[in-house]
Amino acid sequence: MTALLRRYGTLIAVALIIGYFWLELPSTFLTGRNLLNISQQMSMLAVVAAAMTVVMAMGDFDLSVGSMASLSGIVAALVFLSGGSAPRAIGAALLTGLVGGFANGALVAYVGILPFIATLGAMTVFSGLAFKLSGGQTLFGDAIPHAFSDFARSGLPLFSTGVVIPNLTLIAVATIAIVWILLEQTVVGRQLYAVGDNAEAARLAGVPVRPLRFAAFGIAGLGAAGAGLMYASRVASANPTQGAGLMLDAIAAVFLCQSMTEEGEPRVLATVAGVLILGIVGNGLTQLNVDSYVRDILTGSIVIAAVAVSSYGKTRVR
């Protein structure tokens, strides 16, 4: 019974949540249009959470992804406003995320600073840079190409069904697929999990622990930058607080995923389930006109309950 609770408790809770919103919103909640809307709304979080899963597979985490998303969006907007092309703006934003991620990785892997301290400091630095570069203002204007902003509002028609899959959803799916291949189908993925299980044992077995940590934080930074670009495209602007909520939601999604896996390890497909849980709850509460702070309370409660179920199962097994 304990094993069943630990493995399926979160899924049962999700089914109950969906059932509740379906009963309350029978004509709008479980419609194709609303499900596509949820997928688009959560696509940025899915990209960040998938990249975060790589870091958390090693037992680390990155508190700076939200501020990095904001900073990357600001960088892209500044390139546009200075007359730069879309490829140059996108490249500059992604490079910003990669460099910031590698900086975190260097601090953790080679300097030996704890991930919490290193990425907390980086979060403050990236946020300060975003405010400095933007002057604390939202950046927008005619210099931002319509093709860039229209990208987030368009999608891929699904054959002749009339259904259009949003481009942002397609990016999220592609990111998830890449991370799944990395973690589940490559030697590097097995090494990442080995580091997460026991870093010292992995090192003695010949696993390059430091380079792996360095690279994993680079992937997290790259994912955050991608999410920042997606936000900027969606609203045709960038501001220094745009990605503020991404960090907590990404960690929440990965914690939820750990409660749904038998090993209690971060797995990217389970992370997707965690993202969908947060998206479903947020969408349902929005349609019910519930205040935003209630969503925060429920999100925190869901995470605590999921971790409690997972921890209870492990304790009982011992």
Side-chain angles (χ1 to χ4, degrees):
M1 183 64 182
T2 300
L4 289 174
L5 178 63
R6 180 174 178 269
R7 188 168 186 180
Y8 299 110
T10 303
L11 295 178
I12 293 171
V14 172
L16 292 174
I17 291 170
I18 292 175
Y20 171 76
F21 287 130
W22 185 27
L23 290 174
E24 291 291 326
L25 304 162
S27 61
T28 60
F29 187 67
L30 288 182
T31 62
R33 174 175 293 183
N34 190 51
L35 293 177
L36 285 175
N37 185 41
I38 292 174
S39 74
Q40 185 177 37
Q41 289 173 346
M42 303 309 293
S43 57
M44 286 74 73
L45 175 58
V47 168
V48 172
M52 179 79 80
T53 305
V54 178
V55 172
M56 294 188 74
M58 299 185 302
D60 298 330
F61 52 88
D62 187 347
L63 299 179
S64 68
V65 290
S67 57
M68 174 52 72
S70 299
L71 176 60
S72 299
I74 292 293
V75 168
L78 287 174
V79 173
F80 281 132
L81 294 175
S82 65
S85 63
R88 182 173 296 181
I90 293 170
L94 293 177
L95 182 61
T96 299
L98 190 62
V99 171
F102 281 152
N104 283 334
L107 291 174
V108 173
Y110 296 104
V111 180
I113 301 176
L114 292 175
F116 176 83
I117 301 299
T119 60
L120 180 64
M123 176 182 71
T124 306
V125 171
F126 298 155
S127 179
L129 285 172
F131 274 95
K132 174 65 176 177
L133 292 175
S134 66
Q137 305 295 317
T138 297
L139 301 180
F140 62 93
D142 294 336
I144 297 178
H146 290 296
F148 178 74
S149 56
D150 290 343
F151 179 82
R153 303 186 183 98
S154 57
L156 179 68
L158 189 60
F159 305 110
S160 58
T161 61
V163 176
V164 178
I165 302 176
N167 285 330
L168 297 187
T169 300
L170 293 174
I171 291 176
V173 170
T175 302
I176 291 162
I178 292 170
V179 173
W180 180 83
I181 292 171
L182 172 67
L183 291 179
E184 305 293 341
Q185 304 296 317
T186 69
V187 173
V188 171
R190 290 192 289 274
Q191 291 177 333
L192 287 168
Y193 283 114
V195 173
D197 288 338
N198 190 317
E200 182 60 21
R203 185 187 66 79
L204 293 175
V207 175
V209 175
R210 287 182 175 178
L212 280 176
R213 276 209 163 99
F214 179 75
F217 278 99
I219 291 172
L222 194 61
L229 283 168
M230 293 162 74
Y231 266 122
S233 174
R234 188 178 183 190
V235 299
S237 63
N239 71 67
T241 62
Q242 213 156 40
L246 279 176
M247 180 268 291
L248 289 177
D249 282 351
I251 292 177
V254 180
F255 274 137
L256 281 170
C257 99
Q258 287 182 263
S259 73
M260 289 183 280
T261 58
E262 188 173 358
E263 308 87 354
E265 294 179 333
R267 300 285 176 177
V268 69
L269 294 183
T271 295
V272 174
V275 170
L276 289 176
I277 291 170
L278 298 179
I280 289 168
V281 171
N283 180 270
L285 293 178
T286 298
Q287 290 195 51
L288 292 174
N289 296 316
V290 175
D291 291 332
S292 60
Y293 67 83
V294 176
R295 175 189 178 277
D296 294 336
I297 293 171
L298 286 178
T299 299
S301 300
I302 290 170
V303 174
I304 292 171
V307 175
V309 169
S310 177
S311 301
Y312 176 73
K314 290 178 182 178
T315 304
R316 296 285 293 179
V317 168
R318 290 173 187 163

